[in-house]
Amino acid sequence: MEKRGFFSWVFGRKASSSSLTTDQLIELMRSGTRAKSGVNVNWKTALQVTTVLACTRKISDGLSTVPVKVWKKEKNRRVEARDHPLYDVLATAPNDWQSSMEFRETLAFHVVLTGNAFCYIGRGRDRKIVELIPIEPAYVTIDRTSDRTFTYTIKGAVDGTSKTFPSSEIWHIRGPSWNSTDGMDPVGLARETIGLALATEQSHSQIHANGVMSSGLLSVDGTLDETNLIRLTAWVKANFVGLENSARPMVLDRKSTWTPFRMSGVDSEHVETRRLQIELICQAFDVLPIIIGVSENNTSYASVEQMFIAHLVHTVRPWHKRFSDSMDRQLLTKEERRQGYYTGFVAADFLSPSMKDKAEYYKIALGGGGNPAWETPNDIRGYEEKDAMDGSDYLYAPLNIGPIGPDGRPMGPDKAEPAVAEQNTNQPTMVGNRVAVGRVLSSENERLLRDASALIGDADGKLDEVLKKLDKEEVRPDGT
């Protein structure tokens, strides 16, 4: 199928007839399921609840605002596979009208609210992926055949006709699933909670629209005619209504009294119910209330910081894993996966807003704080979108820490492998060996220095000879 034909068929603006087909009418009738509170709950009405909208946006932000890339494992390191056709599709332009962020944001809304997200996989003549077209879940029906393969029947938006596609042409992201075929409907599972939130909000709105919401009652001794009532009302508005007249004392005559109205117990419970629904909806979407701006009075900065970390670990990371696993399985071939290609989110980008935390992380990653490094300076520069520097592809470690061999003993300088497959040939061998010797245990350094001093007699003023001795010394695994 041509990609333009598929696009116009699914996203056509005009139908051939203004009347609904039977299938469309049935779909319309099924689109909303009535909760016990009396309101219809589906993904559209659920988004009218601010808590649902906020939870969905926080999850979609976690999926769409960090980079996603195609990587390739090469021996003991990984590199960005910029030459792979899928790299630009995922990282920059999935299709002609969406950026990578917009595309992933749409998919996140689909899978968070309906449990499923679908994309048509557009391929070129060489069968390489050239674009990904999101499809509304309501238009897709999944069929599982007896040979355990899947087909996807998609209903067009133009005339309601349906076409069936094999699983190789549809990228399907499942949410938590019971039958392993499609994801469970989160809004349907939380129907009563979301329905009660809708009902309480609607009833609260009706109170403001139709109820008498006076702040108090002004009564006088005797009877007021229409003229005096109008004059008294105007006098109260002019002198006691509005922010500028707040807390102003009221002086009355003719045995007049002012009786303020207070919130009734029913009103208090109504507000408390709405607060409870916020917490329950957050539980349903696995988002902490503090993440959507609802905080308790006893929270401190330290506790809030830990809650934000918990959100990244327990909410965002599972979604990253779900998406990356799905991309690896459906957008990469078995041969590409065997060659070392895989997709992944750059989760370290979450540290970008906090320069202090990022600097501390980089410091430890480079070997600060008495720890062996697991990142090279060029790795760090790559995260910051900076150019690599010559001689910055080495891992560093404190002088009293050395590489450990399979037998658990310190390895000698000639057995320590460099951090990258290709070393910089401009670096003198003596310097490289000297650094490697500095990595063995301090007791070995002491023995080498003592042996070197005994060999040359007086080490004072003969540092070069000592270093040459160190460069030639071999430290065997048994420490001899």
Side-chain angles (χ1 to χ4, degrees):
M1 176 180 292
E2 298 293 334
K3 67 177 184 177
R4 287 302 174 191
F6 177 85
F7 175 82
S8 59
W9 173 66
V10 174
F11 299 100
R13 293 184 179 180
K14 231 178 175 181
S16 58
S17 174
S18 59
S19 60
L20 293 174
T21 65
T22 302
D23 290 340
Q24 290 173 327
L25 183 59
I26 294 175
E27 181 66 26
L28 181 63
M29 295 174 63
R30 292 177 177 175
S31 61
T33 305
R34 186 175 296 273
K36 295 178 181 178
S37 56
V39 296
N40 284 333
V41 179
N42 53 47
W43 69 265
K44 287 185 179 180
T45 58
L47 283 175
Q48 296 174 11
V49 180
T50 54
T51 306
V52 175
L53 176 61
C55 290
T56 306
R57 289 194 61 183
K58 290 304 178 184
I59 296 175
S60 68
D61 287 347
L63 281 165
S64 62
T65 58
V66 296
V68 60
K69 299 179 179 181
V70 180
W71 305 88
K72 185 179 182 182
K73 293 180 181 179
E74 293 184 351
K75 294 184 178 179
N76 294 329
R77 64 171 182 163
R78 70 171 187 173
V79 295
E80 294 184 31
R82 291 182 175 270
D83 295 334
H84 195 283
L86 188 61
Y87 186 96
D88 185 66
V89 174
L90 290 179
T92 307
N95 48 59
D96 292 339
W97 67 94
Q98 282 184 306
S99 66
S100 177
M101 175 184 173
E102 295 169 340
F103 172 75
R104 285 180 280 146
E105 188 177 51
T106 298
L107 295 185
F109 264 71
H110 287 177
V111 70
V112 170
L113 292 173
T114 69
N116 299 279
F118 303 94
C119 286
Y120 174 74
I121 303 175
R123 301 180 186 272
R125 293 182 178 178
D126 56 357
R127 301 301 296 166
K128 300 295 184 182
I129 297 177
V130 296
E131 69 173 357
L132 297 170
I133 301 177
I135 308 170
E136 290 189 42
Y139 293 129
V140 182
T141 302
I142 309 171
D143 294 312
R144 186 172 184 173
T145 61
S146 57
D147 59 353
R148 293 180 295 179
T149 59
F150 294 92
T151 59
Y152 296 84
T153 302
I154 301 175
K155 184 185 302 181
V158 178
D159 54 4
T161 59
S162 300
K163 294 184 179 180
T164 301
F165 299 87
S167 59
S168 60
E169 296 186 30
I170 301 295
W171 176 24
H172 179 195
I173 307 172
R174 297 179 185 87
S177 177
W178 176 263
N179 58 10
S180 76
T181 300
D182 55 351
M184 294 183 290
D185 180 11
V187 172
L189 294 174
R191 180 184 302 116
E192 299 304 329
T193 299
I194 298 173
L196 184 57
L198 281 167
T200 52
E201 184 171 359
Q202 291 175 5
S203 62
H204 212 158
S205 300
Q206 291 298 320
I207 292 175
H208 287 275
N210 303 321
V212 178
M213 302 296 294
S214 176
S215 60
L217 172 66
L218 177 61
S219 59
V220 299
D221 189 17
T223 303
L224 293 175
D225 56 21
E226 184 177 357
T227 301
N228 290 330
L229 182 60
I230 294 175
R231 291 177 57 189
L232 179 60
T233 302
W235 176 78
V236 171
K237 287 183 178 181
N239 294 278
F240 303 103
V241 175
L243 182 62
E244 66 278 4
N245 295 321
S246 61
R248 186 175 182 180
M250 180 180 293
V251 181
L252 304 172
D253 61 355
R254 297 181 60 181
K255 297 182 180 180
S256 302
T257 58
W258 170 259
T259 304
F261 293 155
R262 297 181 179 180
M263 182 180 293
S264 66
V266 175
D267 295 331
S268 299
E269 290 299 324
H270 188 90
V271 173
E272 189 62 29
T273 298
R274 297 196 63 184
R275 290 176 180 169
L276 178 61
Q277 296 312 113
I278 294 176
E279 181 177 346
L280 294 176
I281 293 174
C282 285
Q283 290 177 358
F285 286 91
D286 199 17
V287 177
L288 294 172
I290 187 66
I291 302 301
I292 64 172
V294 180
S295 61
E296 298 293 338
N297 295 329
N298 58 352
T299 54
S300 62
Y301 177 81
S303 62
V304 170
E305 184 179 23
Q306 293 302 312
M307 290 179 185
F308 287 154
I309 295 175
H311 173 70
L312 297 179
V313 173
H314 299 294
T315 301
V316 176
R317 187 171 65 174
W319 281 108
H320 279 185
K321 181 66 173 174
R322 186 180 302 278
F323 267 67
S324 60
D325 284 355
S326 180
M327 289 185 289
D328 290 345
R329 188 180 67 83
Q330 298 184 67
L331 302 184
L332 295 174
T333 64
K334 288 184 178 180
E335 178 61 27
E336 289 172 332
R337 294 196 296 270
R338 187 164 50 249
Q339 293 173 359
Y341 289 101
Y342 67 97
T343 62
F345 291 84
V346 185
D349 202 60
F350 282 119
L351 293 175
S352 296
S354 176
M355 298 302 295
K356 179 181 178 181
D357 293 340
K358 180 189 288 189
E360 184 66 22
Y361 171 80
Y362 287 165
K363 174 184 175 182
I364 298 175
L366 288 171
N371 301 299
W374 65 85
E375 300 275 14
T376 68
N378 276 340
D379 290 335
I380 303 299
R381 294 182 66 84
Y383 298 150
E384 296 296 321
E385 300 293 335
K386 295 177 183 273
D387 295 335
M389 297 191 306
D390 293 337
S392 296
D393 288 321
Y394 293 91
L395 295 175
Y396 295 91
L399 291 178
N400 63 339
I401 297 179
I404 304 300
D407 59 355
R409 295 178 177 270
M411 296 175 62
D414 60 333
K415 298 178 182 178
E417 296 184 357
V420 295
E422 298 181 0
Q423 296 188 13
N424 187 353
T425 56
N426 295 327
Q427 295 287 339
T429 304
M430 182 177 63
V431 175
N433 290 339
R434 194 172 299 153
V435 172
V437 170
R439 290 179 179 176
V440 301
L441 296 178
S442 57
S443 61
E444 297 298 332
N445 287 340
E446 183 179 354
R447 184 182 66 80
L448 293 174
L449 287 172
R450 186 180 298 109
D451 293 345
S453 298
L455 177 65
I456 64 177
D458 183 11
D460 187 22
K462 299 181 180 180
L463 180 60
D464 289 339
E465 295 184 38
V466 175
L467 293 178
K468 288 180 181 179
K469 174 62 177 175
L470 291 176
D471 292 338
K472 296 178 180 179
E473 181 69 26
E474 178 180 359
V475 181
R476 290 184 291 273
D478 58 1
T480 62

